[in-house]
Amino acid sequence: MSKDKTEPKRRSPRWSSNRLSMERLDWLRQAVASRSKALNHELEYLPLLWRYTLRRSSLQSQINKYPMSLFQACLHLQYEQEVRAAIEIVSDELEHFNLLHVYSQYLLEKGKTDECEQVLLRAISHARQMKNHHHRSRAFVRLIKIFVQQQQIEKAELLAKEIDSSYDKAEALASIAVSLVLDQQWERAEKMIRQIQEPIPLVDALSKLAVALMQIQQPEKANTLFVEAEKVAQRIDHILYRELSLITVANALKQVGQWERVEMVARQIERSDSSNYPTSLLVIVRAFLQARWWERAEEVAREIEESIYRVYAFDELAYAFWQDCQWEKALSAIEIAKASARRISYEYENTGLIRVAQMLNNMHQWEQAEALFGEIANPAEWEIAELAMVLVKKADLFMCDEQRARASEVLVQAEEFAQKIEKSSQRVQVLSAIAIALWNNQQWEQAEIMLAKAEVAACKGKESQILTLGSLVKVLVYSQQWERAEIVAQQVIDPNERTYILQDLFLSLWQAQEWTRAESVLTQAEAAARDPLADSVQVPCMLSKIAQLWRQVQRWEQAEEAVQGINLYYMGDETREVLKTLAQSQQWERFVILARTIESPFDRASIMSEIAQEIIPMQQSERALMLLADAEEAAFKIEGLEHQTVKILSSIALSLWQLGQWERAMSILVAAENASKRKKANVHDTQILQEVINVLVSIQKWEREKSPMSEDMASHVRDIVLAHREQQWERFEKIILAEEKEVVRELSLKDLAIALSEVQRWEQAEKLVAALSTPSNQAFVLGWIAHKLIQEQQWCRAEDFLSCAENIVQNRASDYSGTLAWLARIYAQGRHWEKVENIIKLIKRNKSKNSDFKSIVEYLVQDQCWDKAEELTFSIDEETYDRKEAVKILAKALGEAQQWSRLIALLQRIWLLAETREQAFCMPDPLYELVKQYPWLGVQFYNVFVTEKSWLAHQ
């Protein structure tokens, strides 16, 4: 890289041309949709619409995934106009805000306050429209900090009121309060801090405010806040958060030079086994270094055991000595840091060496740093990126010393490291940093070239191949293009995903009576599951599924081979699935061997009980009784978890009742009750009794539907159950009313009211509603009673309960939107669509509404209210599971009703709304329904995919 001091030759970033292409493709998509409708050829034009959607969304995805480091480099290289253009086309809500934030900071630094004000107004408007609650809160915090920086406190305060998250609001209020203190508005600042209720953010806010007070020479008030922050931290129950909060206080004390108090606070974390103990010692080291207490700093640093924190401590100690011209001590400290970096665990070894190398560069010890680079073995990608950034910083140091030629050589090395990084975002970050360094080194042309390389790297992220190929296989299956479907499935690189796709293909082939091809495909699936690159944790589950599929088609030998290939002693969370497979294969000996290897008594009892319940209908009573005995033995070994014990015992009791072991079942229920009597009544008692009541309700239902007993015996047993249950209601209610904690009492009353409605005790349940203190709970229970009444065809009574529930919450819709959605679901169940529409209008957009809207869609399609169902489906947040499920429900219903025109319109709407490559590649459920009816469509879409795959590769 030779130095070139001529003016840079300007080039336009790729997104400038992409913007024009996207606008043209938008026009083409709209034209295709309109023309196909006008000519009544909607089906023939669908593949063309998908082609344009794929191209448009691919271009959009490129700009969406550009890292902020690339745009920061563009601004540094004076591409301001191009960044403004990028703001107009970035569609991802978080990235769009990030870009606005980066640009506003740039304008602020350049002193362009009027332009910055306009960008900030746009950022506020965008933040308010963000669907992700966490992203929205964080966006407001970042904007507030900018307004605080500009001394626009009123705007900052107004924005703080819009933050939902208590932690984010606390951070924002702390920033505003610090600014007010510096402006001598102490009372207003204190009033703001007192709004914070959560202890962890309160500690942080008090500490920041104390630091600000010290800066304006108010030591008495500052010390009062430091003491309060420390006391709040000490009262935090969770030990990890308590220690982190104490470290926060210690760091704040360090900032104001109260070195001895730093040690006093940090030393409260005395346990050497605490994960925060090394961090607290490092805080003390840094405080002493800042106070220039070299010896005490070194003493504390030696207390830190071998860890990355010891490396940090001696690194910083060495640099402090070097700045103080104590050369020998600096070199001695750096040697200790290097030795520690070599000795710590493999996970942090390279991190420590990289850190020491950076410090050696800061101390101008170039040769030692270079030698340390050579010791770094098999670095991970992020470590390669760190090494490259160390070289960029080294180049900056050479530039400061006017050694531009040496800086240029180091940047060449940094680029070599960058080319080894495969992950797009990390490579872009490094290349962007190199471009900025080249620009600062007056190498204009090389900086332009490096920026172009960074942009190319940003375009080379991984495609959504797995999602695409899986969807395409499904389309080809519906088109009965078996050979093509098999070829596409084999193109999936990930062995786990390939296994799942081939399993689905096998089922379709078998149903189509393609026996030979189906067996071949399942054999391929088993080979993929055994691939060395497959995730070892998922292998047992995949092989279990394959064994189940072999059994479904009565290929017993193949099923046995698949199960025998499972390593029974290395299965992790997949043990339950493998045990189910063994039980279904009647391999009881292997089942028992594996089940007894499960360490957790709860897990062991749970799986034994579950399998026993499954084999009872198979007339395997003897085997079921054996499993239940093992489950009972394991259940009584569960320590300290009475609720879990009762849950298992209740399940065992129900199974025994079904097997005619009535006395044994009742004795187990008595044992379950006794579990709650061993300790003072509390919330666990109510949960325990709830389990007992649930099993009694289940027994009553089972008697009514499946009881093998004689009528006299059944009547006798029913009397026992009812009498026993009456005792439980009475005891349950006494325990609840004796509960001192209001929260526990409220939840328990709610559970009891629901349990009463389950067994049709409407009046008793209604009486408990009045005892509930929370309107949302009252409305929920009333809605639940109505729900049960509707199931019993008691419409008039149900409407009375629903009206009461609606009256409770509708005047505070913003607070009880979740409850209103629940009521809308029940109204939909009763076909009261006007009521449903009224409630939907009241529901605030919140986290809980998606699943409720999806449920309402289910009821709407049952009554063929297609327009309402579609409107509600698209009111569900994008990119959520509930939106996908709602589309699936609607598409399936339209297909069954042979509403082909509506299906086509639904598919067009989905593709016209698609913004990203993932959205376009994911073939939606309406397409599957259409391909089932028109198989030739599958071939058309396959041809489009083959063509566009080549286009994307060229891009």
Side-chain angles (χ1 to χ4, degrees):
M1 297 180 186
S2 60
K3 184 164 60 177
D4 181 6
K5 293 188 178 181
T6 61
E7 282 299 311
K9 184 179 180 181
R10 310 305 286 171
R11 54 170 290 281
S12 293
R14 180 179 296 193
W15 67 75
S16 297
S17 57
N18 281 3
R19 182 183 181 184
L20 296 174
S21 299
M22 286 163 60
E23 289 174 354
R24 181 172 176 272
L25 286 166
D26 278 335
W27 180 85
L28 285 170
R29 289 198 299 169
Q30 293 290 344
V32 166
S34 301
R35 184 170 176 78
S36 64
K37 189 173 183 179
L39 297 176
N40 201 23
H41 292 301
E42 292 99 328
L43 274 177
E44 290 83 347
Y45 278 90
L46 276 178
L48 186 60
L49 175 61
W50 189 50
R51 169 176 288 168
Y52 292 148
T53 300
L54 285 177
R55 294 198 174 192
R56 198 268 182 206
S57 61
S58 295
L59 295 173
Q60 181 68 70
S61 290
Q62 285 182 1
I63 184 70
N64 278 354
K65 68 182 180 182
Y66 282 2
M68 286 301 112
S69 57
L70 180 62
F71 293 116
Q72 288 168 334
C74 286
L75 289 170
H76 193 89
L77 272 63
Q78 301 174 12
Y79 280 104
E80 186 178 337
Q81 184 176 348
E82 286 75 9
V83 170
R84 284 203 300 269
I87 290 173
E88 302 302 323
I89 56 176
V90 172
S91 64
D92 180 89
E93 67 171 29
L94 180 59
E95 294 306 310
H96 187 86
F97 176 82
N98 287 340
L99 187 50
L100 287 168
H101 183 262
V102 164
Y103 187 45
S104 65
Q105 292 282 58
Y106 167 81
L107 292 171
L108 203 58
E109 290 170 6
K110 294 293 182 181
K112 300 179 179 181
T113 53
D114 292 339
E115 291 181 53
C116 179
E117 189 72 21
Q118 293 302 313
V119 173
L120 287 174
L121 288 173
R122 184 170 176 180
I124 292 170
S125 174
H126 178 75
R128 285 173 175 153
Q129 296 171 22
M130 294 173 82
K131 295 173 184 176
N132 185 293
H133 292 257
H134 173 68
H135 291 166
R136 184 166 65 245
S137 290
R138 293 308 306 165
F140 281 136
V141 171
R142 292 164 70 184
L143 289 169
I144 285 167
K145 289 182 177 179
I146 293 178
F147 285 127
V148 167
Q149 186 181 349
Q150 293 181 303
Q151 295 298 306
Q152 298 187 45
I153 303 302
E154 286 73 18
K155 285 185 179 180
E157 285 189 68
L158 288 173
L159 278 184
K161 293 178 181 178
E162 299 186 44
I163 299 176
D164 297 328
S165 165
S166 58
Y167 281 77
D168 290 328
K169 178 171 282 190
E171 183 180 346
L173 292 174
S175 299
I176 298 169
V178 167
S179 178
L180 289 169
V181 166
L182 295 176
D183 197 35
Q184 305 291 326
Q185 299 185 54
W186 161 242
E187 290 183 1
R188 190 176 167 193
E190 186 177 25
K191 185 179 179 181
M192 190 159 292
I193 287 295
R194 297 307 168 193
Q195 296 178 39
I196 302 172
Q197 301 297 322
E198 297 287 344
I200 298 172
L202 180 58
V203 170
D204 184 59
L206 289 169
S207 301
K208 287 178 179 176
L209 207 58
V211 171
L213 285 165
M214 291 295 285
Q215 290 173 356
I216 61 169
Q217 308 299 314
Q218 295 284 337
E220 291 184 6
K221 289 182 179 179
N223 286 328
T224 301
L225 290 185
F226 275 130
V227 170
E228 184 180 352
E230 187 178 349
K231 287 179 179 178
V232 173
Q234 290 168 341
R235 288 197 298 268
I236 296 173
D237 292 330
H238 195 293
I239 191 166
L240 174 63
Y241 297 132
R242 181 169 67 246
E243 292 174 349
L244 289 173
S245 296
L246 287 170
I247 289 171
T248 298
V249 178
N251 272 317
L253 288 165
K254 176 175 69 68
Q255 290 180 48
V256 298
Q258 297 198 22
W259 323 120
E260 293 181 352
R261 286 186 69 185
V262 170
E263 185 170 13
M264 287 174 60
V265 173
R267 287 287 185 186
Q268 293 182 46
I269 306 171
E270 294 177 349
R271 299 172 305 108
S272 59
D273 62 332
S274 167
S275 59
N276 292 314
Y277 185 62
T279 310
S280 64
L281 293 178
L282 183 59
V283 170
I284 298 171
V285 170
R286 287 171 174 166
F288 290 163
L289 288 176
Q290 197 169 333
R292 302 175 66 82
W293 296 351
W294 314 122
E295 291 182 2
R296 291 185 67 181
E298 189 171 354
E299 286 174 6
V300 177
R302 292 183 184 279
E303 289 184 46
I304 304 175
E305 295 181 358
E306 294 295 353
S307 66
I308 193 66
Y309 298 103
R310 185 178 175 88
V311 176
Y312 292 162
F314 278 98
D315 250 4
E316 295 175 28
L317 190 62
Y319 191 62
F321 282 139
W322 180 77
Q323 287 182 314
D324 200 46
C325 300
Q326 299 186 49
W327 316 118
E328 291 184 7
K329 286 187 176 182
L331 293 175
S332 173
I334 208 73
E335 286 301 318
I336 295 174
K338 283 198 288 185
S340 294
R342 294 183 182 115
R343 283 195 294 266
I344 59 179
S345 64
Y346 178 77
E347 182 182 359
Y348 290 108
E349 181 178 0
N350 289 335
T351 304
L353 292 173
I354 293 169
R355 171 69 180 242
V356 176
Q358 175 63 60
M359 193 58 71
L360 285 166
N361 279 334
N362 291 343
M363 295 164 60
H364 294 192
Q365 300 295 310
W366 317 118
E367 292 181 3
Q368 284 195 52
E370 194 78 23
L372 211 57
F373 266 39
E375 292 187 35
I376 298 173
N378 303 318
E381 282 209 352
W382 67 270
E383 291 173 331
I384 296 173
E386 284 292 318
L387 289 169
M389 294 303 290
V390 168
L391 290 170
V392 172
K393 291 172 185 174
K394 182 178 178 180
D396 288 336
L397 291 170
F398 280 135
M399 283 181 239
C400 291
D401 291 342
E402 297 296 328
Q403 300 184 52
R404 298 190 179 278
R406 293 188 70 180
S408 181
E409 291 172 4
V410 172
L411 290 174
V412 171
Q413 288 180 280
E415 186 185 355
E416 290 172 359
F417 274 108
Q419 298 306 328
K420 298 176 184 178
I421 303 170
E422 292 185 10
K423 189 174 181 180
S424 171
S425 58
Q426 289 180 346
R427 183 189 287 193
V428 174
Q429 184 179 8
V430 173
L431 291 174
S432 299
I434 296 171
I436 291 173
L438 287 166
W439 188 272
N440 293 339
N441 203 33
Q442 299 179 15
Q443 295 176 256
W444 318 119
E445 188 174 344
Q446 287 87 342
E448 294 278 344
I449 293 169
M450 196 60 61
L451 187 64
K453 288 181 179 179
E455 189 182 358
V456 170
C459 295
K460 289 186 178 179
K462 290 185 178 179
E463 311 295 343
S464 332
Q465 188 209 45
I466 292 170
L467 190 63
T468 309
L469 296 181
S471 300
L472 185 58
V473 169
K474 199 171 180 180
V475 168
L476 292 170
V477 163
Y478 287 138
S479 303
Q480 297 187 1
Q481 299 290 314
W482 311 118
E483 187 175 349
R484 285 175 172 170
E486 189 175 345
I487 291 170
V488 173
Q490 288 294 349
Q491 293 177 26
V492 177
I493 297 171
D494 183 271
N496 294 66
E497 295 300 332
R498 188 165 70 252
T499 300
Y500 296 131
I501 291 171
L502 287 168
Q503 286 173 355
D504 291 340
L505 179 56
F506 162 80
L507 287 171
S508 300
L509 286 165
W510 197 269
Q511 290 169 3
Q513 300 182 10
E514 294 281 340
W515 321 119
T516 305
R517 190 185 291 276
E519 291 190 15
S520 171
V521 164
L522 195 54
T523 302
Q524 293 173 38
E526 188 171 343
R530 299 183 190 280
D531 190 303
L533 297 177
D535 185 349
S536 60
V537 175
Q538 294 186 41
V539 167
C541 186
M542 291 190 295
L543 290 174
S544 296
K545 177 65 176 177
I546 290 167
Q548 290 173 18
L549 293 173
W550 281 125
R551 282 195 307 280
Q552 284 180 27
V553 297
Q554 299 183 1
R555 294 294 188 267
W556 311 115
E557 291 183 7
Q558 289 92 329
E560 172 67 15
E561 289 174 4
V563 176
Q564 286 179 348
I566 300 172
N567 183 345
L568 299 182
Y569 298 98
Y570 184 67
M571 291 184 297
D573 296 334
E574 308 301 341
T575 305
R576 180 177 293 270
E577 293 302 318
V578 176
L579 281 167
K580 285 183 179 180
T581 301
L582 291 170
Q584 291 163 2
S585 304
Q586 306 289 307
Q587 297 185 48
W588 297 112
E589 186 177 345
R590 297 189 77 217
F591 173 89
V592 172
I593 292 172
L594 177 57
R596 287 174 179 169
T597 65
I598 301 174
E599 293 183 8
S600 165
F602 174 77
D603 291 337
R604 190 163 66 252
S606 177
I607 187 64
M608 291 280 197
S609 173
E610 186 178 340
I611 296 299
Q613 185 70 36
E614 289 181 4
I615 65 174
I616 287 173
M618 302 176 188
Q619 306 302 316
Q620 296 194 40
S621 302
E622 189 175 336
R623 180 74 62 185
L625 285 170
M626 183 194 74
L627 293 177
L628 289 170
D630 286 348
E632 185 180 350
E633 181 184 353
F636 282 111
K637 292 180 180 178
I638 301 173
E639 296 180 0
L641 298 169
E642 288 84 359
H643 180 226
Q644 289 190 348
T645 304
V646 174
K647 191 172 185 179
I648 294 296
L649 290 174
S650 299
S651 175
I652 294 169
L654 180 59
S655 298
L656 287 169
W657 200 278
Q658 292 173 347
L659 289 167
Q661 303 284 318
W662 303 304
E663 291 184 5
R664 189 175 164 196
M666 291 303 295
S667 68
I668 288 177
L669 281 177
V670 171
E673 289 181 70
N674 290 335
S676 68
K677 296 177 183 178
R678 292 195 294 268
K679 54 193 288 189
K680 186 178 178 181
N682 59 15
V683 68
H684 294 294
D685 287 343
T686 62
Q687 293 173 337
I688 287 167
L689 286 169
Q690 182 74 56
E691 291 292 344
V692 175
I693 289 168
N694 287 343
V695 76
L696 289 168
V697 171
S698 299
I699 287 172
Q700 185 180 351
K701 288 180 180 177
W702 183 81
E703 287 168 10
R704 186 170 63 240
E705 297 168 5
K706 305 176 183 177
S707 176
M709 296 181 286
S710 66
E711 187 174 340
D712 291 341
M713 177 62 76
S715 177
H716 173 66
V717 169
R718 186 156 44 250
D719 290 341
I720 294 174
V721 172
L722 290 173
H724 193 70
R725 197 177 66 205
E726 289 301 323
Q727 295 172 13
Q728 302 314 316
W729 295 131
E730 185 179 347
R731 183 176 170 217
F732 200 11
E733 194 167 353
K734 284 180 180 178
I735 288 176
I736 293 170
L737 295 175
E739 175 57 54
E740 295 179 359
K741 293 183 179 178
E742 185 179 348
V743 175
V744 175
R745 187 169 62 252
E746 179 81 2
L747 292 175
S748 301
L749 282 169
K750 179 181 173 183
D751 288 341
L752 179 57
I754 290 170
L756 286 165
S757 65
E758 289 282 353
V759 292
Q760 301 180 19
R761 302 176 71 124
W762 320 118
E763 290 79 9
Q764 284 181 264
E766 186 180 5
K767 285 179 183 177
L768 287 178
V769 172
L772 293 167
S773 58
T774 309
S776 61
N777 285 337
Q778 292 175 340
F780 182 89
V781 171
L782 288 168
W784 186 269
I785 297 171
H787 169 61
K788 290 299 173 182
L789 284 165
I790 289 171
Q791 288 181 343
E792 297 296 324
Q793 305 296 312
Q794 298 189 39
W795 303 104
C796 293
R797 292 188 70 185
E799 285 185 21
D800 292 338
F801 281 104
L802 283 171
S803 297
C804 291
E806 192 178 346
N807 290 335
I808 290 172
V809 295
Q810 68 177 351
N811 294 328
R812 299 181 64 185
S814 60
D815 296 327
Y816 302 123
S817 54
T819 308
L820 281 167
W822 158 245
L823 295 178
R825 186 189 301 184
I826 299 170
Y827 274 126
Q829 184 184 2
R831 308 292 189 267
H832 295 286
W833 302 122
E834 289 185 8
K835 290 279 189 180
V836 171
E837 286 187 8
N838 291 336
I839 290 181
I840 287 172
K841 291 175 184 177
L842 293 172
I843 295 175
K844 179 183 176 182
R845 296 183 65 84
N846 65 6
K847 297 176 184 177
S848 63
K849 61 97 176 169
N850 289 333
S851 60
D852 295 299
F853 281 6
K854 183 200 73 176
S855 299
I856 297 170
V857 168
E858 292 185 66
Y859 292 115
L860 287 167
V861 298
Q862 287 175 16
D863 263 23
Q864 297 193 355
C865 300
W866 307 122
D867 292 334
K868 292 177 184 176
E870 184 175 338
E871 181 184 351
L872 197 58
T873 295
F874 284 92
S875 69
I876 298 173
D877 291 340
E878 291 182 271
E879 300 300 309
T880 61
Y881 171 80
D882 293 309
R883 164 73 81 88
K884 293 174 185 175
E885 283 298 298
V887 168
K888 185 176 182 178
I889 291 164
L890 178 56
K892 186 177 180 180
L894 288 169
E896 289 174 351
Q898 299 186 5
Q899 296 284 326
W900 309 122
S901 296
R902 286 186 178 274
L903 260 176
I904 293 168
L906 178 62
L907 186 57
Q908 288 177 337
R909 183 173 181 178
I910 291 170
W911 278 335
L912 288 172
L913 290 173
E915 286 284 349
T916 65
R917 182 183 288 126
E918 289 74 19
Q919 292 170 343
F921 268 127
C922 181
M923 296 177 177
D925 287 275
L927 177 60
Y928 301 144
E929 298 296 328
L930 286 169
V931 172
K932 289 177 188 176
Q933 180 68 16
Y934 306 101
W936 57 267
L937 263 181
V939 179
Q940 296 291 320
F941 278 97
Y942 174 78
N943 292 335
V944 171
F945 171 77
V946 171
T947 305
E948 294 311 297
K949 189 178 179 184
S950 301
W951 181 82
L952 285 172
H954 176 70
Q955 286 292 301

